[in-house]
Amino acid sequence: MQKVISYISENNDRYIEELKDFLRIPSISALPENKSDMNNCAEFVAGKLRDAGMNRVQVYQTEGHPIVYGEWLGAPGKPTILFYGHYDVQPVDPIELWNNPPFEPVINDGKIWARGATDDKGQVLVHIKSVEAFFKANGSLPLNVKFLLEGEEEIGSESLAPFIAQNKDMLKSDVVLISDTSLFAKGVPTITYGLRGLCYMEVEVIGPNKDLHSGSFGGAVANPVNVLAQMIAKLHDKNGKIAIPEFYKDVLNLTKKERESFKKLKFSEKKYAKELGVAELMGEKGFSTLERVWARPTLDCNGIFGGFTGSGAKTIIPSKATAKISMRLVPNQDPNKIAKLFTKFFKSLAPKSVKVNVKYLHGGYPVVVPLEHKAIVSGADAMAKAFGKKTVFMREGGSIPIVVDFVKNLNAPAVLMGLGLDSENLHSPNEHFDLNHFRLGIESSAYFIDEFSKD
Ligand code: BES
Ligand code: MN
Ligand code: MN
């Protein structure tokens, strides 16, 4: 291992240059005008897999964005790792809040700044480079590896889910290793063992058949924006619980052991509130902040619009109002079931004076992986070696919906070896990635390969 680890430190500067090239490609999956960038990015990733020594590297076209696959199966009888990650990134708006152009990476304060730096390009490159280091330093790998990298994670992985189901043999593996989550804190090796699911809805409240003069008609008809606001307010009760009937029916309660292990993590609610610029934290009564974010379901309005939103004043009663509402789910909630419960309840809140449309945009299942699994233990040991500290275990409030598809179709455990930080502005302006975590991540990945090859 010493040779591999030395090779990684000696080549760190080159790795950073390669990461910059990766970050220069504006692979925004949500925007049709970036379609050719998505193809370029897939080809870039395929090139990196070839450089790392992978065989059978292929860019699979889909109805959406390409899927990139590569493998090296030169260790028959040894275990197989499947590395998963995504090369697509979120849109950059509001662009005026970026200190540097989002696709012109700069290094400052030991961090690399660009869209996709932490989510997920930096974390994807980590594993490609650890595999490459084995080939360069030792001439081969002690086990088999496969890479599966998609370009639609940020828009719901629509092409990847059927791809996995149709290519079970090709993807067969003993573990799925994913770096697309966060460390608990700077420099603290972390394995995430749970992710929340998601149920994303769009609602529309429709009133009069056109915008009306608010003087002539104010007082005569229901105002859809007023009504929508009242309906949204009824989605929670005074204790911060979600008011939809049956909503909590399938929720697995936190175990005593789990609550105790969360309590042992060094977490200051005060400091957390201060970093977010809020005077006080808020959420469901009876649970700590970590419990609420990691292991309790939530409902949030992501955006609300309707009527006049330009500058200055315009006096109207709008004809309609819309809101985007998402729910984060926990085991064993089912997003399809929740979408139905939401729809029924939301419609029941509407007065006769308006019409209501509810659309289910997309969803994903929550997941918890058993901590006792050998793969998890290897993951924790590998990170501890690289970081020189004991690994902590946490759950995560965010979602990676495809993880459930891996677990179900490949019957392999997922090891979530996240290397980002929640403070690295993922999905926000000025996204960045700590370059120290980048290097320690490559080492962790290398130690994992070594560790997991042993039996
Ligand atoms: N890498 C994130 C998931 C994540 C978020 C991990 C926060 C750790 C902290 C992933 O790329 C993501 O953004 N997922 C979406 C899923 C959605 C688009 C279906 C999410 O959680 O909103
Ligand atoms: Mn991600
Ligand atoms: Mn993301």
Side-chain angles (χ1 to χ4, degrees):
M1 274 312 281
Q2 202 39 56
K3 266 176 40 199
V4 176
I5 299 299
S6 308
Y7 183 89
I8 292 170
S9 347
E10 286 154 19
N11 286 272
N12 194 46
D13 292 348
R14 172 171 64 86
Y15 296 157
I16 293 171
E17 288 310 310
E18 292 184 34
L19 177 54
K20 280 189 185 165
D21 293 339
F22 197 2
L23 292 170
R24 283 192 191 99
I25 309 171
S27 50
I28 305 172
S29 49
L31 304 180
E33 59 267 36
N34 291 67
K35 181 80 196 157
S36 67
D37 300 305
M38 294 305 296
N39 281 311
N40 293 342
C41 200
E43 289 300 337
F44 177 93
V45 171
K48 290 291 157 200
L49 292 181
R50 286 188 195 101
D51 293 348
M54 293 300 101
N55 301 322
R56 203 173 149 187
V57 174
Q58 199 169 329
V59 174
Y60 288 88
Q61 293 301 328
T62 70
E63 272 174 37
H65 302 303
I67 293 167
V68 186
Y69 176 78
E71 64 181 30
W72 186 84
L73 305 179
K78 290 288 185 174
T80 303
I81 305 177
L82 175 66
F83 294 102
Y84 160 81
H86 63 95
Y87 67 84
D88 64 323
V89 302
Q90 285 277 332
V92 297
D93 49 279
I95 185 96
E96 65 278 7
L97 296 183
W98 286 77
N99 297 328
N100 296 292
F103 297 108
E104 293 173 28
V106 294
I107 292 171
N108 183 2
D109 195 21
K111 304 166 181 102
I112 188 162
W113 302 74
R115 170 56 88 229
T118 187
D119 186 14
D120 180 34
K121 288 176 174 175
Q123 302 200 55
V124 163
L125 199 62
V126 155
H127 300 293
I128 302 179
K129 293 297 124 184
S130 79
V131 165
E132 186 194 74
F134 264 94
F135 279 114
K136 291 278 159 67
N138 288 353
S140 80
L141 282 171
L143 44 55
N144 306 295
V145 296
K146 298 176 178 180
F147 279 90
L148 183 65
L149 304 166
E150 69 157 318
E152 296 183 87
E153 196 276 341
E154 300 292 7
I155 52 171
S157 302
E158 259 178 59
S159 304
L160 190 63
F163 185 89
I164 294 171
Q166 284 155 22
N167 291 282
K168 282 188 208 168
D169 277 344
M170 181 173 87
L171 300 175
K172 190 174 173 322
S173 47
D174 299 291
V175 62
V176 184
L177 185 57
I178 305 173
S179 290
D180 190 24
T181 49
S182 302
L183 299 169
F184 180 65
K186 212 176 152 137
V188 178
T190 309
I191 294 285
T192 296
Y193 67 94
L195 292 162
R196 287 200 288 186
L198 189 66
C199 176
Y200 206 115
M201 311 296 295
E202 184 175 303
V203 300
E204 202 178 40
V205 173
I206 303 164
N209 55 13
K210 55 185 170 274
D211 289 357
L212 301 173
H213 189 290
S214 65
S216 316
F217 297 93
V221 290
N223 177 326
V225 175
N226 296 8
V227 171
L228 177 58
Q230 286 161 359
M231 290 168 76
I232 290 172
K234 288 184 185 142
L235 295 173
H236 287 96
D237 72 11
K238 63 177 191 318
N239 292 321
K241 283 225 168 355
I242 294 157
I244 302 170
E246 309 265 286
F247 183 84
Y248 291 94
K249 191 166 161 249
D250 298 327
V251 171
L252 284 188
N253 283 323
L254 275 151
T255 61
K256 209 173 150 209
K257 201 173 148 203
E258 217 176 3
R259 291 189 97 160
E260 270 158 20
S261 89
F262 289 5
K263 256 190 225 137
K264 281 197 196 121
L265 294 170
K266 209 178 139 233
F267 180 78
S268 155
E269 307 222 346
K270 241 194 185 152
K271 196 167 149 233
Y272 183 80
K274 201 173 161 214
E275 275 166 11
L276 298 178
V278 296
E280 191 180 60
L281 299 176
M282 203 214 74
E284 187 184 3
K285 268 213 182 111
F287 296 92
S288 72
T289 299
L290 290 184
E291 288 169 353
R292 295 196 301 238
V293 174
W294 292 350
R296 295 295 297 170
T298 47
L299 181 152
D300 281 287
C301 190
N302 297 253
I304 176 164
F305 49 98
F308 180 62
T309 56
S311 61
K314 181 187 180 205
T315 47
I316 57 157
I317 292 172
S319 91
K320 63 177 194 174
T322 306
K324 310 259 186 187
I325 297 173
S326 69
M327 288 158 278
R328 294 283 170 174
L329 311 179
V330 301
N332 289 323
Q333 287 178 299
D334 175 335
N336 298 308
K337 222 163 134 184
I338 293 294
K340 283 196 190 115
L341 294 176
F342 176 91
T343 304
K344 190 172 168 210
F345 183 61
F346 196 76
K347 286 190 170 166
S348 80
L349 297 176
K352 276 217 185 77
S353 50
V354 297
K355 277 202 291 276
V356 172
N357 293 322
V358 180
K359 246 198 309 204
Y360 176 30
L361 297 187
H362 65 89
Y365 284 83
V367 66
V368 166
V369 283
L371 281 174
E372 313 76 47
H373 202 287
K374 175 192 174 273
I376 301 270
V377 178
S378 296
D381 289 351
M383 283 191 104
K385 269 192 197 160
F387 283 72
K389 265 185 217 160
K390 212 171 154 212
T391 298
V392 304
F393 294 90
M394 66 176 250
R395 283 169 70 166
E396 167 59 56
S399 312
I400 311 176
I402 204 69
V403 171
V404 168
D405 296 75
F406 285 124
V407 175
K408 277 192 192 147
N409 284 288
L410 307 181
N411 194 23
V415 174
L416 301 167
M417 188 186 269
L419 300 161
L421 288 173
D422 283 345
S423 57
E424 288 182 329
N425 297 338
L426 45 164
H427 297 201
S428 263
N430 302 314
E431 179 174 349
H432 55 279
F433 186 37
D434 188 313
L435 287 171
N436 195 36
H437 295 152
F438 178 56
R439 187 177 51 82
L440 294 174
I442 301 173
E443 287 186 20
S444 301
S445 176
Y447 282 124
F448 183 80
I449 291 171
D450 178 52
E451 194 93 14
F452 201 66
S453 72
K454 283 177 185 159
D455 52 43

